[in-house]
Amino acid sequence: MKTTSKRYFPGLLVIALFVISSCKKDLNQIPISNSTTITFYKTQSDFTQALTAIYNDLRTFPNRMLNLSETRSDNLYAASDGGVRDWEGINGFASTLNNNPYIVEAYKTDFNGIYRVNEFLSQMETNGSIISNPALRTQYEAEAKFLRAFYYFDLVRWFGKVPLVDKVLTAKDAETIGRSPVADIYKFIIADLEFAKSNLPLNQTDKGRATLNAAKGILALVYMTRSGPTYGIEGPGLGTNDWQTANTLLGEIIASNKYSAVATFTSIFSYSNENSTEVVFDIQYLSGGIGVGANFVWLLTPDGYFQSFGLPTQGALFIRPVSQNFLNSFAAEPGDIRRAATITNSYVSNGVTESRPFYTKYVDVTKYGKDAADWPINYIVMRYTDVLLMKAECILHGATGSQGDVDAAVNLVRARAGLTPVSGVTMASLMEERRKEFAAEGLRWHDLVRSGLVTTIMPAWIAADDVQHRISPFQPNYIIYPIPLSELTTLPGLYTQNPGY
């Protein structure tokens, strides 16, 4: 791909790349080749392509959720059978992660998206009149701000304090921007999402673009995450008690009657049932060797499984087995159909049997594309059953609603899973239900942190079930990740490292 010229900002290392690729339909655009950001914005189509470029930075978000959240959690063991792998330190709470490529990717990609938004909004202010329809101009601004908020929220959950950048910076400007308090980052995120919520349409012709309810859903999750405990660190939780605000937003999504739980659990992830009534916001992928396929499908599935079907290796050389504790959670209710839909028990490849269970939630071997990065399945960032269970969580924290409302939300999910109703759902049992519902979707670590359970569940699990796999004992500092070393050394003294690393 061709790219524009690059500007490196010390401390931020944000690269001004307008590499245009994307997802489906009109989001497939022509690269901006050798244009500069000053001369590029000449037509409405140029703004459309630039907005597409901002969406493009969502493409690695699913990988991040699986590598940094799912792998960090009590759902998986991740000690490699051969050589040291990048995900082992993530799984093992290593204190030497500041060069880990997964962490570096998260930091750089999110800030690249933020840079693109700031450049887009700057050009919108200067040349936005090129877009003749004022409503479309406002919608584009709302989409850009939604995405900036999304990227900043991702950063806060992984790193805590980060630089707050709301405009295009010169290199000299960037040298003065330190890490802002988490509270300030949240205020900025909320302001962007409020604008998005007020100006995004209820529906988008092009799937995968931000909508009114997507903004409400992410904003609700922002309020919930901010309301989580602080753990004595400068992480994503501030203990702000915004549960009622989040509850109201989630209730509005439900009341819109645009969404419903699809009939069967497996159909949520069916390649022939994408963009179903379950989807509130997703990231779109398309196979065909055109550079917009997905590779998150195989990240947690060992190569031997694909080889057993005669397919090429995908890239997950070694297995990350499902933990015994998680398997026991399913075993306690053997009728739960989500286990078979999520976890495969074994395979035989080249005469070798692998008997440790592993994730295959997104895998349909008949849908293999041109290569390992060409799977066509979308990644659902937020789905309707998540909205229902988040609302139940808010009620358990004191928001408007009853125990009956909490139980009803959980029982809707359980009924689809083939399970009997329960009553008196607690925070712990709600999180265990979420654990089974959203396994392999990357939500587990964030759920544990937000709910306040991470400091009890993780140490207890490590002691009972994962003694041989963890490098370091759990401590609250490991709720967030280290700032990449490259950011610390570009301009020494501008940033300080997160404690524990």
Side-chain angles (χ1 to χ4, degrees), residues 364-443:
D364 179 343
V365 295
T366 69
K367 302 298 183 181
Y368 174 74
K370 300 290 186 180
D371 54 45
D374 197 41
W375 293 85
I377 191 70
N378 299 337
Y379 174 82
I380 305 175
V381 176
M382 183 172 289
R383 53 188 175 93
Y384 181 66
T385 42
D386 192 8
V387 170
L388 294 177
L389 296 184
M390 287 196 296
K391 193 173 193 301
E393 183 179 343
C394 291
I395 294 170
L396 288 175
H397 279 286
T400 301
S402 67
Q403 183 66 51
D405 295 328
V406 174
D407 295 346
V410 170
N411 285 327
L412 182 147
V413 172
R414 287 176 59 83
R416 184 171 64 183
L419 301 177
T420 57
V422 293
S423 60
V425 172
T426 64
M427 186 61 67
S429 60
L430 173 63
M431 287 299 145
E432 197 64 17
E433 201 66 55
R434 287 182 61 87
R435 185 187 190 188
K436 291 181 281 190
E437 177 75 12
F438 303 111
E441 296 179 50
L443 275 61

Coordinates of all heavy atoms in Angstrom, one line a residue, residues 364-443:
D364 N -15.1 -21.6 11.1 CA -15.8 -22.4 10.2 C -14.9 -22.7 9.1 O -14.6 -21.9 8.2 CB -17.1 -21.7 9.6 CG -17.9 -22.5 8.6 OD1 -17.3 -23.5 8.1 OD2 -19.0 -22.1 8.3
V365 N -14.3 -24.0 9.1 CA -13.2 -24.3 8.2 C -13.7 -24.3 6.7 O -12.8 -24.2 5.8 CB -12.6 -25.7 8.5 CG1 -12.0 -25.7 9.9 CG2 -13.7 -26.8 8.4
T366 N -14.9 -24.2 6.4 CA -15.4 -24.2 5.1 C -15.3 -22.7 4.5 O -15.5 -22.5 3.3 CB -16.8 -24.6 4.9 OG1 -17.7 -23.7 5.5 CG2 -17.0 -26.0 5.5
K367 N -15.0 -21.8 5.4 CA -15.0 -20.4 5.0 C -13.6 -19.8 4.9 O -13.4 -18.6 4.8 CB -15.8 -19.5 6.0 CG -17.2 -20.0 6.2 CD -18.0 -19.8 4.9 CE -19.5 -20.2 5.1 NZ -20.2 -20.1 3.8
Y368 N -12.6 -20.7 4.9 CA -11.2 -20.2 4.8 C -11.0 -19.5 3.4 O -11.5 -20.0 2.4 CB -10.3 -21.4 4.8 CG -8.8 -21.1 4.5 CD1 -8.0 -20.4 5.5 CD2 -8.2 -21.5 3.3 CE1 -6.7 -20.1 5.2 CE2 -6.9 -21.2 3.1 CZ -6.1 -20.5 4.0 OH -4.8 -20.2 3.8
G369 N -10.4 -18.3 3.5 CA -10.3 -17.5 2.3 C -9.0 -17.8 1.5 O -8.5 -18.9 1.4
K370 N -8.4 -16.7 1.0 CA -7.1 -16.8 0.3 C -5.9 -17.1 1.1 O -5.0 -17.8 0.7 CB -6.9 -15.5 -0.5 CG -8.0 -15.1 -1.5 CD -8.0 -16.0 -2.7 CE -9.0 -15.5 -3.7 NZ -9.1 -16.4 -4.9
D371 N -6.0 -16.6 2.4 CA -4.8 -16.9 3.3 C -5.3 -16.7 4.7 O -6.5 -16.5 5.0 CB -3.7 -15.9 3.0 CG -4.1 -14.5 3.0 OD1 -4.8 -14.0 3.9 OD2 -3.6 -13.8 2.1
A372 N -4.4 -16.7 5.7 CA -4.8 -16.7 7.1 C -5.4 -15.3 7.5 O -6.0 -15.2 8.6 CB -3.5 -17.0 7.9
A373 N -5.2 -14.3 6.7 CA -5.8 -13.0 7.0 C -6.9 -12.7 6.1 O -7.2 -11.5 5.8 CB -4.7 -11.9 6.9
D374 N -7.6 -13.7 5.7 CA -8.7 -13.5 4.7 C -10.0 -14.2 5.2 O -10.8 -14.6 4.3 CB -8.3 -14.0 3.4 CG -9.1 -13.4 2.2 OD1 -9.5 -12.2 2.3 OD2 -9.4 -14.2 1.3
W375 N -10.3 -14.2 6.5 CA -11.5 -14.8 6.9 C -12.6 -13.7 6.8 O -12.4 -12.5 7.1 CB -11.4 -15.2 8.4 CG -10.5 -16.4 8.5 CD1 -9.1 -16.4 8.7 CD2 -10.9 -17.8 8.6 NE1 -8.6 -17.7 8.8 CE2 -9.7 -18.6 8.7 CE3 -12.1 -18.4 8.5 CZ2 -9.7 -19.9 8.8 CZ3 -12.1 -19.8 8.6 CH2 -11.0 -20.6 8.7
P376 N -13.8 -14.0 6.5 CA -14.9 -13.0 6.2 C -15.8 -12.7 7.4 O -16.6 -11.8 7.2 CB -15.7 -13.7 5.1 CG -15.6 -15.1 5.3 CD -14.2 -15.4 5.9
I377 N -15.6 -13.3 8.5 CA -16.6 -13.1 9.6 C -16.3 -11.8 10.3 O -15.2 -11.4 10.5 CB -16.5 -14.3 10.6 CG1 -17.6 -14.2 11.6 CG2 -15.1 -14.3 11.3 CD1 -19.0 -14.5 11.1
N378 N -17.4 -11.1 10.7 CA -17.3 -9.8 11.4 C -17.0 -10.1 12.9 O -17.4 -11.1 13.4 CB -18.6 -9.0 11.3 CG -18.9 -8.6 9.8 OD1 -18.0 -8.6 9.0 ND2 -20.2 -8.4 9.5
Y379 N -16.5 -9.1 13.5 CA -16.3 -9.1 15.0 C -17.3 -8.2 15.6 O -17.4 -7.0 15.3 CB -14.9 -8.7 15.3 CG -14.6 -8.6 16.8 CD1 -14.3 -9.7 17.6 CD2 -14.8 -7.4 17.5 CE1 -14.1 -9.7 19.0 CE2 -14.6 -7.3 18.9 CZ -14.3 -8.4 19.6 OH -14.1 -8.4 21.0
I380 N -18.1 -8.8 16.5 CA -19.2 -8.0 17.2 C -18.6 -7.3 18.4 O -18.2 -8.0 19.4 CB -20.4 -8.9 17.6 CG1 -20.9 -9.6 16.4 CG2 -21.5 -8.0 18.2 CD1 -22.0 -10.6 16.7
V381 N -18.5 -6.0 18.4 CA -17.9 -5.3 19.5 C -19.0 -5.2 20.7 O -18.6 -5.4 21.8 CB -17.6 -3.8 19.1 CG1 -17.1 -3.0 20.3 CG2 -16.5 -3.8 18.0
M382 N -20.2 -5.0 20.3 CA -21.3 -5.0 21.3 C -22.5 -5.6 20.7 O -22.9 -5.3 19.6 CB -21.6 -3.6 21.8 CG -22.6 -3.5 22.9 SD -22.8 -1.8 23.6 CE -21.2 -1.7 24.5
R383 N -23.1 -6.6 21.5 CA -24.3 -7.2 21.0 C -25.5 -7.0 22.0 O -25.2 -6.6 23.2 CB -24.1 -8.6 20.6 CG -23.5 -9.5 21.7 CD -23.1 -10.9 21.0 NE -22.4 -11.8 21.8 CZ -22.9 -12.8 22.5 NH1 -24.3 -12.9 22.6 NH2 -22.2 -13.7 23.2
Y384 N -26.7 -7.3 21.6 CA -27.9 -7.0 22.4 C -27.8 -7.8 23.7 O -28.2 -7.2 24.8 CB -29.1 -7.5 21.6 CG -30.4 -7.2 22.3 CD1 -30.8 -5.9 22.6 CD2 -31.2 -8.2 22.7 CE1 -32.0 -5.6 23.3 CE2 -32.4 -8.0 23.4 CZ -32.8 -6.7 23.6 OH -34.0 -6.4 24.3
T385 N -27.4 -9.0 23.8 CA -27.4 -9.7 25.1 C -26.3 -9.1 26.0 O -26.5 -9.1 27.2 CB -27.1 -11.2 24.8 OG1 -26.1 -11.4 23.9 CG2 -28.3 -11.9 24.4
D386 N -25.3 -8.5 25.5 CA -24.4 -7.7 26.3 C -25.1 -6.5 26.9 O -24.9 -6.2 28.1 CB -23.2 -7.3 25.4 CG -22.0 -6.7 26.2 OD1 -22.1 -6.9 27.5 OD2 -21.1 -6.2 25.6
V387 N -25.9 -5.8 26.1 CA -26.6 -4.7 26.6 C -27.6 -5.1 27.8 O -27.6 -4.5 28.8 CB -27.5 -4.0 25.5 CG1 -28.5 -3.0 26.0 CG2 -26.5 -3.4 24.5
L388 N -28.3 -6.2 27.6 CA -29.2 -6.7 28.6 C -28.4 -7.0 29.9 O -28.8 -6.7 31.0 CB -29.9 -8.0 28.1 CG -30.9 -7.9 27.0 CD1 -31.4 -9.2 26.6 CD2 -32.0 -6.9 27.3
L389 N -27.3 -7.7 29.8 CA -26.5 -8.1 31.0 C -25.8 -6.9 31.6 O -25.6 -6.9 32.8 CB -25.6 -9.2 30.6 CG -26.2 -10.5 30.2 CD1 -25.1 -11.6 30.0 CD2 -27.2 -11.0 31.2
M390 N -25.4 -5.9 30.8 CA -24.8 -4.7 31.4 C -25.9 -4.0 32.2 O -25.6 -3.4 33.2 CB -24.2 -3.8 30.3 CG -22.9 -4.4 29.7 SD -22.0 -3.1 28.8 CE -23.1 -2.8 27.4
K391 N -27.1 -3.9 31.7 CA -28.2 -3.3 32.4 C -28.4 -4.0 33.7 O -28.6 -3.3 34.8 CB -29.4 -3.2 31.6 CG -30.5 -2.3 32.1 CD -31.7 -2.1 31.2 CE -32.6 -1.0 31.6 NZ -33.1 -1.1 32.9
A392 N -28.4 -5.3 33.7 CA -28.5 -6.1 35.0 C -27.4 -5.7 35.9 O -27.6 -5.6 37.2 CB -28.5 -7.6 34.6
E393 N -26.2 -5.6 35.4 CA -25.1 -5.2 36.3 C -25.3 -3.8 36.9 O -25.0 -3.6 38.1 CB -23.8 -5.2 35.4 CG -22.5 -4.9 36.1 CD -21.3 -4.9 35.2 OE1 -21.4 -5.4 34.1 OE2 -20.3 -4.3 35.6
C394 N -25.8 -2.9 36.1 CA -26.1 -1.5 36.7 C -27.1 -1.6 37.8 O -27.0 -1.0 38.9 CB -26.6 -0.6 35.6 SG -25.4 -0.1 34.4
I395 N -28.2 -2.4 37.6 CA -29.2 -2.6 38.6 C -28.6 -3.2 39.9 O -28.9 -2.7 41.0 CB -30.3 -3.5 38.1 CG1 -31.1 -2.7 37.0 CG2 -31.3 -3.8 39.2 CD1 -32.1 -3.6 36.2
L396 N -27.7 -4.2 39.8 CA -27.1 -4.7 41.0 C -26.2 -3.7 41.7 O -26.0 -3.9 42.9 CB -26.2 -5.9 40.6 CG -27.0 -7.2 40.2 CD1 -26.1 -8.3 39.7 CD2 -27.9 -7.7 41.3
H397 N -25.8 -2.7 41.0 CA -25.0 -1.6 41.6 C -25.9 -0.5 42.2 O -25.4 0.5 42.6 CB -24.0 -1.0 40.7 CG -22.8 -1.8 40.5 ND1 -21.8 -1.8 41.5 CD2 -22.3 -2.6 39.5 CE1 -20.8 -2.6 41.1 NE2 -21.1 -3.1 39.9
G398 N -27.2 -0.7 42.1 CA -28.1 0.3 42.7 C -28.9 1.1 41.7 O -29.7 2.0 42.2
A399 N -28.8 0.9 40.4 CA -29.6 1.7 39.5 C -31.0 1.2 39.5 O -31.3 0.2 40.0 CB -29.0 1.5 38.1
T400 N -31.9 2.0 38.9 CA -33.3 1.7 38.9 C -33.6 0.3 38.3 O -33.1 0.0 37.2 CB -34.1 2.8 38.1 OG1 -33.8 4.1 38.6 CG2 -35.5 2.5 38.1
G401 N -34.4 -0.4 38.9 CA -34.7 -1.8 38.5 C -34.8 -2.7 39.7 O -34.5 -2.3 40.8
S402 N -35.2 -3.9 39.5 CA -35.4 -4.9 40.5 C -34.6 -6.1 40.4 O -34.0 -6.4 39.3 CB -36.9 -5.2 40.6 OG -37.3 -6.0 39.4
Q403 N -34.6 -6.9 41.4 CA -33.9 -8.2 41.3 C -34.6 -9.1 40.2 O -34.0 -9.8 39.5 CB -34.0 -9.0 42.6 CG -33.3 -10.3 42.6 CD -31.8 -10.2 42.4 OE1 -31.1 -9.4 43.1 NE2 -31.2 -10.9 41.5
G404 N -35.9 -8.9 40.1 CA -36.6 -9.6 39.0 C -36.1 -9.2 37.6 O -36.1 -10.1 36.7
D405 N -35.8 -7.9 37.5 CA -35.3 -7.5 36.2 C -33.9 -8.1 35.9 O -33.6 -8.5 34.7 CB -35.2 -6.0 36.1 CG -36.5 -5.2 36.2 OD1 -37.5 -5.8 35.8 OD2 -36.5 -4.1 36.8
V406 N -33.1 -8.2 36.9 CA -31.8 -8.8 36.8 C -31.9 -10.3 36.4 O -31.3 -10.8 35.4 CB -31.0 -8.7 38.1 CG1 -29.7 -9.5 38.0 CG2 -30.7 -7.2 38.4
D407 N -32.8 -11.0 37.1 CA -33.0 -12.4 36.9 C -33.6 -12.6 35.5 O -33.2 -13.6 34.8 CB -33.9 -13.0 37.9 CG -33.4 -13.0 39.3 OD1 -32.1 -12.8 39.5 OD2 -34.1 -13.2 40.3
A408 N -34.5 -11.8 35.0 CA -35.1 -11.9 33.7 C -34.1 -11.8 32.6 O -34.1 -12.6 31.6 CB -36.2 -10.9 33.5
A409 N -33.1 -10.8 32.7 CA -32.1 -10.7 31.7 C -31.2 -11.9 31.6 O -30.9 -12.4 30.6 CB -31.3 -9.4 32.0
V410 N -30.8 -12.4 32.8 CA -29.9 -13.5 32.9 C -30.7 -14.8 32.3 O -30.1 -15.6 31.6 CB -29.4 -13.8 34.3 CG1 -28.7 -15.1 34.4 CG2 -28.5 -12.6 34.7
N411 N -31.9 -14.9 32.7 CA -32.7 -16.1 32.3 C -32.9 -16.1 30.8 O -33.1 -17.2 30.2 CB -33.9 -16.2 33.1 CG -33.7 -16.7 34.5 OD1 -32.7 -17.5 34.7 ND2 -34.5 -16.3 35.4
L412 N -33.1 -15.0 30.1 CA -33.2 -14.9 28.7 C -32.0 -15.5 28.0 O -32.1 -16.3 27.1 CB -33.4 -13.5 28.2 CG -33.6 -13.3 26.7 CD1 -34.6 -12.1 26.5 CD2 -32.3 -13.0 26.0
V413 N -30.8 -15.1 28.5 CA -29.5 -15.7 28.0 C -29.4 -17.2 28.3 O -29.0 -17.9 27.5 CB -28.4 -14.9 28.6 CG1 -27.0 -15.5 28.2 CG2 -28.4 -13.4 28.2
R414 N -29.8 -17.6 29.5 CA -29.7 -19.0 29.9 C -30.7 -19.8 29.1 O -30.3 -21.0 28.7 CB -30.0 -19.1 31.4 CG -28.9 -18.6 32.3 CD -29.3 -18.7 33.8 NE -29.6 -20.0 34.2 CZ -28.7 -21.0 34.5 NH1 -27.4 -20.7 34.5 NH2 -29.0 -22.2 34.9
A415 N -31.9 -19.3 28.8 CA -32.8 -20.1 28.1 C -32.3 -20.4 26.7 O -32.4 -21.6 26.2 CB -34.1 -19.4 28.0
R416 N -31.7 -19.5 26.0 CA -31.1 -19.7 24.7 C -29.9 -20.7 24.8 O -29.7 -21.5 23.9 CB -30.6 -18.4 24.1 CG -30.0 -18.6 22.7 CD -29.8 -17.3 22.0 NE -28.7 -16.5 22.7 CZ -28.4 -15.3 22.3 NH1 -29.0 -14.7 21.3 NH2 -27.4 -14.7 23.0
A417 N -29.3 -20.8 26.0 CA -28.2 -21.7 26.2 C -28.7 -23.1 26.6 O -27.9 -24.0 26.8 CB -27.2 -21.2 27.2
G418 N -30.0 -23.2 26.7 CA -30.5 -24.5 27.1 C -30.6 -24.8 28.6 O -30.6 -26.0 29.0
L419 N -30.5 -23.8 29.4 CA -30.4 -23.9 30.8 C -31.7 -23.5 31.5 O -32.5 -22.8 30.9 CB -29.3 -23.1 31.4 CG -27.9 -23.4 30.8 CD1 -26.9 -22.5 31.4 CD2 -27.5 -24.9 31.1
T420 N -31.9 -24.0 32.7 CA -33.1 -23.7 33.5 C -33.0 -22.3 34.1 O -31.9 -21.8 34.3 CB -33.4 -24.7 34.6 OG1 -32.2 -24.8 35.4 CG2 -33.6 -26.1 34.0
P421 N -34.1 -21.7 34.5 CA -34.1 -20.3 35.1 C -33.4 -20.4 36.5 O -33.4 -21.4 37.2 CB -35.5 -19.9 35.2 CG -36.3 -20.8 34.2 CD -35.5 -22.1 34.2
V422 N -32.9 -19.2 36.9 CA -32.4 -19.0 38.2 C -33.0 -17.8 38.8 O -33.6 -17.0 38.1 CB -30.8 -18.9 38.2 CG1 -30.2 -20.1 37.7 CG2 -30.4 -17.7 37.3
S423 N -32.8 -17.6 40.1 CA -33.3 -16.5 40.8 C -32.2 -16.0 41.8 O -31.3 -16.7 42.1 CB -34.6 -16.8 41.6 OG -34.4 -17.8 42.5
G424 N -32.4 -14.7 42.2 CA -31.4 -14.1 43.1 C -30.0 -14.0 42.5 O -29.0 -14.2 43.2
V425 N -29.9 -13.6 41.3 CA -28.6 -13.4 40.6 C -27.8 -12.4 41.4 O -28.3 -11.3 41.7 CB -28.8 -13.0 39.2 CG1 -27.4 -12.6 38.5 CG2 -29.5 -14.1 38.4
T426 N -26.5 -12.7 41.7 CA -25.6 -11.8 42.3 C -24.6 -11.3 41.3 O -24.5 -11.8 40.2 CB -24.9 -12.5 43.5 OG1 -24.1 -13.6 42.9 CG2 -25.9 -13.1 44.5
M427 N -23.7 -10.4 41.8 CA -22.7 -9.9 40.9 C -21.8 -11.0 40.4 O -21.4 -11.1 39.3 CB -21.9 -8.8 41.5 CG -20.8 -8.1 40.6 SD -21.6 -7.3 39.2 CE -22.5 -6.0 40.0
A428 N -21.4 -11.9 41.4 CA -20.5 -13.0 41.1 C -21.2 -14.0 40.1 O -20.5 -14.4 39.1 CB -20.1 -13.8 42.3
S429 N -22.4 -14.3 40.3 CA -23.1 -15.2 39.3 C -23.4 -14.6 38.0 O -23.3 -15.2 36.9 CB -24.4 -15.8 39.9 OG -25.3 -14.7 40.2
L430 N -23.6 -13.2 38.0 CA -23.8 -12.5 36.7 C -22.5 -12.6 35.9 O -22.5 -12.8 34.7 CB -24.2 -11.1 37.0 CG -24.2 -10.2 35.7 CD1 -25.3 -10.6 34.7 CD2 -24.5 -8.7 36.2
M431 N -21.4 -12.4 36.6 CA -20.1 -12.4 35.9 C -19.7 -13.8 35.4 O -19.1 -13.9 34.3 CB -19.0 -11.8 36.8 CG -19.1 -10.3 37.0 SD -18.9 -9.4 35.4 CE -20.0 -8.0 35.7
E432 N -20.2 -14.8 36.1 CA -19.9 -16.1 35.6 C -20.8 -16.4 34.4 O -20.3 -17.1 33.5 CB -20.2 -17.1 36.8 CG -19.6 -18.5 36.5 CD -18.1 -18.5 36.5 OE1 -17.4 -17.5 36.9 OE2 -17.5 -19.5 35.9
E433 N -22.0 -15.9 34.4 CA -22.8 -16.1 33.2 C -22.2 -15.3 32.0 O -22.2 -15.9 30.9 CB -24.3 -15.5 33.5 CG -25.3 -16.1 32.6 CD -25.5 -17.6 32.8 OE1 -25.8 -18.0 33.9 OE2 -25.4 -18.3 31.8
R434 N -21.7 -14.1 32.2 CA -21.1 -13.4 31.2 C -19.8 -14.1 30.7 O -19.5 -14.1 29.5 CB -20.7 -12.0 31.7 CG -21.8 -11.0 31.8 CD -21.3 -9.6 32.3 NE -20.5 -9.1 31.3 CZ -20.8 -8.3 30.2 NH1 -22.1 -8.1 30.0 NH2 -20.0 -7.9 29.4
R435 N -19.1 -14.8 31.6 CA -17.9 -15.5 31.3 C -18.2 -16.6 30.2 O -17.5 -16.7 29.3 CB -17.3 -16.1 32.5 CG -16.0 -16.9 32.3 CD -15.6 -17.6 33.6 NE -14.3 -18.1 33.6 CZ -13.7 -18.9 34.5 NH1 -14.5 -19.3 35.5 NH2 -12.5 -19.3 34.3
K436 N -19.3 -17.3 30.4 CA -19.7 -18.3 29.5 C -20.3 -17.8 28.2 O -20.1 -18.3 27.1 CB -20.7 -19.3 30.1 CG -20.0 -20.1 31.2 CD -20.9 -21.1 31.9 CE -21.8 -20.5 32.9 NZ -22.6 -21.5 33.7
E437 N -21.1 -16.7 28.3 CA -21.8 -16.1 27.1 C -20.8 -15.5 26.2 O -20.9 -15.6 25.0 CB -22.8 -15.1 27.6 CG -23.5 -14.3 26.5 CD -24.5 -15.2 25.8 OE1 -24.9 -16.3 26.3 OE2 -25.0 -14.7 24.7
F438 N -19.7 -14.8 26.8 CA -18.8 -14.0 25.9 C -17.4 -14.6 25.8 O -16.5 -13.9 25.5 CB -18.8 -12.6 26.4 CG -20.1 -11.9 26.5 CD1 -20.7 -11.6 27.7 CD2 -20.8 -11.6 25.3 CE1 -22.0 -11.0 27.7 CE2 -22.1 -11.0 25.3 CZ -22.7 -10.7 26.6
A439 N -17.3 -15.8 26.2 CA -16.0 -16.5 26.1 C -15.4 -16.4 24.6 O -16.2 -16.5 23.7 CB -16.1 -18.0 26.5
A440 N -14.1 -16.1 24.5 CA -13.5 -16.0 23.2 C -13.8 -14.7 22.5 O -13.5 -14.5 21.4 CB -13.7 -17.2 22.3
E441 N -14.6 -13.8 23.2 CA -14.9 -12.5 22.6 C -14.1 -11.4 23.2 O -14.2 -10.2 22.8 CB -16.4 -12.2 22.7 CG -17.3 -13.2 22.0 CD -18.8 -13.0 22.1 OE1 -19.2 -11.8 21.9 OE2 -19.5 -13.9 22.5
G442 N -13.2 -11.7 24.2 CA -12.3 -10.8 24.7 C -12.8 -9.9 25.8 O -12.2 -8.9 26.1
L443 N -14.0 -10.2 26.4 CA -14.5 -9.3 27.4 C -14.1 -9.6 28.8 O -14.3 -8.8 29.7 CB -16.1 -9.3 27.3 CG -16.7 -8.4 26.3 CD1 -16.3 -8.7 24.9 CD2 -18.3 -8.5 26.4

